[in-house]
Amino acid sequence: MNIIVASSEVVPYAKTGGLADVCGALPSQLEQLGHQITVFMPGYRAVNYGEFSVQKTGIDLEIPIGNQLVPGELLVTTLPGSNVKVYSVTNDDYFDRESLYGEKGVDYEDNAQRFIFFSRAVLESVRLLDLKPDLIHCNDWQTGLIPALLKVEYESNPLYENIASLITIHNLAYQGTYPSSTMPLTGLDWKYYNYLQMEFFDRLNLLKTGIVFADSINTVSPTYAQEIQGAEQGCGLEGVLQRRANVLSGILNGIDVTQWNPSIDELIPAKFSADDWPRGKSECKKHLQNYFGLEQNSSTPMIGIVGRLATQKGWSLILQVMQRWLETTDVQWVVLGTGAPEFHAALTSLYQNHPHKLGLQLGFSNELAHQIEAGADIFAMPSEYEPCGLNQMYSMAYGTVPVVRRTGGLADTVVDASLQTIAAGTANGFSFDGFTAIELERALSRAIQMYRFDKENWNNLVRAGIQRDWSWAVSARAYERLYRKTIERKQGHPISP
Ligand code: ADP
């Protein structure tokens, strides 16, 4: 298949979240499966004027935005470790800026124009580069206009009539909504500005536009694909998503196993694998106890947490359980995170009262994140919602048993240790339903009991996590199937493998 991936973020060039990881990892995996993949991203300062060898193509663009023709240029580089071409769509007025979407917490005021320009430039490049794609894989609101342009404006052009579109939703909370006065910039007729298509409470909504017009829609986990069809997690778009339920699915993200693999990880004090993890993990745990000044005791259970200090991640529940357990229970906690000031303050106060049971680092440290994933016995992640989540997968790959709330990607990756799943050999962690401190406490208690009194089953959980293939190779095969299905539906006949 011949596929274009269009994204506002691609690792290693530009990243603010998981979107960049997906669009940086998936293309080379798909190439290895024999497909021709071309990536498009905006020509940000970090891409064009950074450390990457970006070359001129000699191709100039003229993109209509409202009643203006905006000039652009296509630059090109190659995705590291692959032959995948990455085109950077350049217009320095729009993209030669400090940041991707805004500065000092304020979005750039011309974001709609910037990404309408990018979306139109991708479609024009199809013609200018003679790409002949079977499908354009769009990602999030920044590329939400592409499926609409394909269906409405390019539909009657023979070069475009067979191109299918897919939009992946990485986080439904970000929708790209703008005042109605933005509509003329899209170049589409006002007739599409209605509540069933591009309008959402009298604003232009670019994610909704993508959802309505794309041939297929997916999210980053199967459970999140279901959850967003309900009022609780639908962010107002649940009705639109329900109407498109027949083409909506979920594919779990993978993890980058060149970075997150305990048998080759240079950031952890002792490497280990599924065969010799007890020795390696106990050295890693000792190192953490030393680093944080905790009591050096190999049998005291250690609970690790790494993540943004945001309400979504369930810190209100964690703080309640920590407060009780620091007084009463022989358990150590190691916490790495940064974010909301109220959580910084609450964690600092707990740390001041219990410095020998709580190791706390408020900041960002990739190295310490690796060390906690490797050294802790248990990893806690009681998120309120979680489109996919990476930390629970990292923890299992490092033999650290996750305790999670059963939502989104957490529900799809963590199999709760019940009598049945233990007997079937599928258990790899502990999960609970209600977003309450008491449910988190019960799940953590179950984990601690098994850790202390049932080593055989505990070791089976650890091994199940380390042995499973969490790599992008698995997700790439699922995207391959989804592309094929979408193209066949669009073209009305089977395509060759
Ligand atoms: P989200 O994308 O919602 O923040 P994920 O679990 O999907 O949550 O991914 C979080 C990523 O960010 C992981 O790679 C995690 O290790 C990393 N991370 C989050 N906070 C920190 C921190 N304070 N220091 C180092 N890495 C962090």
Side-chain angles (χ1 to χ4, degrees):
M1 287 178 277
N2 184 341
I3 307 293
I4 287 178
V5 175
S7 173
S8 61
E9 302 184 20
V10 180
V11 159
Y13 312 104
K15 168 169 173 169
T16 71
L19 160 66
D21 293 312
V22 177
C23 296
L26 187 59
S28 16
Q29 294 291 329
L30 289 163
E31 184 187 49
Q32 283 174 28
L33 293 174
H35 304 294
Q36 186 181 332
I37 312 295
T38 312
V39 176
F40 282 85
M41 71 180 299
Y44 303 115
R45 182 179 299 170
V47 186
N48 288 357
Y49 306 111
E51 69 210 74
F52 308 104
S53 57
V54 183
Q55 313 289 325
K56 286 193 176 292
T57 60
I59 295 181
D60 292 328
L61 303 162
E62 273 201 326
I63 303 299
I65 304 286
N67 50 16
Q68 269 185 295
L69 274 182
V70 180
E73 195 186 342
L74 277 185
L75 305 185
V76 68
T77 183
T78 308
L79 200 62
S82 77
N83 297 310
V84 172
K85 287 212 169 101
V86 180
Y87 287 97
S88 120
V89 176
T90 298
N91 171 303
D92 283 349
D93 288 343
Y94 284 151
F95 299 124
D96 182 17
R97 299 185 188 179
E98 191 65 34
S99 181
L100 272 56
Y101 309 124
E103 287 170 44
K104 302 191 178 84
V106 182
D107 282 351
Y108 294 130
E109 59 178 23
D110 57 352
N111 272 349
Q113 263 138 290
R114 297 170 77 223
F115 292 103
I116 290 170
F117 170 82
F118 174 63
S119 298
R120 282 191 168 273
V122 172
L123 287 170
E124 278 304 286
S125 304
V126 167
R127 176 175 65 79
L128 295 166
L129 294 165
D130 195 21
L131 288 174
K132 300 193 175 63
D134 298 302
L135 178 142
I136 302 182
H137 180 173
C138 308
N139 292 276
D140 281 350
W141 69 264
Q142 292 89 344
T143 49
L145 191 61
I146 292 177
L149 291 171
L150 261 181
K151 282 251 158 69
V152 174
E153 195 175 304
Y154 285 80
E155 179 185 56
S156 52
N157 183 330
L159 271 183
Y160 293 84
E161 65 188 357
N162 281 328
I163 305 176
S165 63
L166 161 71
I167 187 158
T168 301
I169 302 168
H170 298 262
N171 189 337
L172 190 65
Y174 301 95
Q175 300 182 1
T177 71
Y178 297 96
S180 56
S181 56
T182 315
M183 184 63 191
L185 300 181
T186 65
L188 294 180
D189 194 282
W190 276 104
K191 74 178 180 194
Y192 299 105
Y193 189 75
N194 65 70
Y195 82 102
L196 288 173
Q197 292 179 305
M198 298 173 76
E199 183 242 344
F200 182 70
F201 294 99
D202 204 21
R203 286 173 75 82
L204 168 68
N205 183 319
L206 291 173
L207 182 64
K208 176 172 173 175
T209 301
I211 293 170
V212 168
F213 285 95
D215 295 309
S216 286
I217 306 152
N218 84 306
T219 64
V220 289
S221 70
T223 297
Y224 192 60
Q226 293 303 316
E227 288 170 342
I228 59 175
Q229 295 177 52
E232 207 176 299
Q233 297 207 31
C235 301
L237 293 183
E238 58 273 15
V240 185
L241 289 158
Q242 282 163 20
R243 279 195 288 282
R244 304 234 57 210
N246 57 332
V247 293
L248 168 60
S249 60
I251 297 177
L252 269 177
N253 289 340
I255 67 173
D256 180 349
V257 290
T258 63
Q259 300 296 314
W260 292 92
N261 176 349
S263 63
I264 54 168
D265 191 338
E266 298 293 342
L267 299 175
I268 59 177
K271 301 186 181 88
F272 56 90
S273 67
D275 301 326
D276 61 355
W277 61 267
R279 173 204 53 78
K281 278 192 74 70
S282 97
E283 262 190 61
C284 292
K285 181 169 172 179
K286 205 157 128 190
H287 172 85
L288 275 181
Q289 288 171 330
N290 209 5
Y291 179 82
F292 282 115
L294 306 174
E295 192 195 343
Q296 295 270 339
N297 184 340
S298 63
S299 60
T300 305
M302 181 188 278
I303 302 173
I305 309 173
V306 179
R308 290 183 289 119
L309 298 185
T311 310
Q312 177 211 337
K313 299 291 176 183
W315 287 100
S316 58
L317 316 189
I318 294 167
L319 286 165
Q320 290 176 61
V321 178
M322 265 170 100
Q323 183 135 35
R324 267 202 295 277
W325 283 22
L326 284 168
E327 306 276 350
T328 57
T329 312
D330 183 26
V331 164
Q332 295 177 339
W333 300 78
V334 289
V335 175
L336 168 66
T338 177
E342 68 266 28
F343 295 131
H344 276 235
L347 284 163
T348 304
S349 144
L350 284 176
Y351 169 73
Q352 281 161 351
N353 292 325
H354 305 278
H356 302 299
K357 288 174 98 175
L358 167 60
L360 176 65
Q361 189 158 319
L362 295 172
F364 195 94
S365 163
N366 185 45
E367 182 175 7
L368 186 57
H370 281 246
Q371 292 170 354
I372 293 176
E373 299 286 5
D377 300 300
I378 293 165
F379 192 90
M381 203 163 163
S383 305
E384 194 174 4
Y385 72 94
E386 196 64 75
C388 176
L390 289 171
N391 276 317
Q392 83 280 13
M393 293 194 265
Y394 296 154
S395 80
M396 287 187 273
Y398 283 69
T400 299
V401 175
V403 174
V404 305
R405 180 156 175 266
R406 205 174 286 127
T407 182
L410 298 172
D412 293 322
T413 49
V414 176
V415 181
D416 183 60
S418 65
L419 288 175
Q420 291 84 351
T421 58
I422 290 173
T426 53
N428 59 14
F430 296 85
S431 52
F432 61 95
D433 283 313
F435 188 63
T436 63
I438 194 77
E439 288 217 30
L440 169 63
E441 185 168 6
R442 278 195 201 122
L444 281 170
S445 297
R446 284 198 291 135
I448 305 274
Q449 298 306 318
M450 190 189 279
Y451 175 85
R452 287 208 174 108
F453 305 118
D454 186 0
K455 273 289 179 229
E456 188 185 336
N457 277 325
W458 182 264
N459 292 349
N460 287 339
L461 294 194
V462 172
R463 215 174 297 107
I466 302 182
Q467 280 174 340
R468 178 160 155 186
D469 182 359
W470 299 105
S471 73
W472 272 104
V474 180
S475 320
R477 282 191 288 275
Y479 274 99
E480 185 184 40
R481 286 191 292 275
L482 178 58
Y483 291 164
R484 183 177 304 284
K485 211 159 95 182
T486 307
I487 296 165
E488 290 184 343
R489 204 173 48 236
K490 167 85 187 173
Q491 300 188 356
H493 56 82
I495 54 168
S496 55

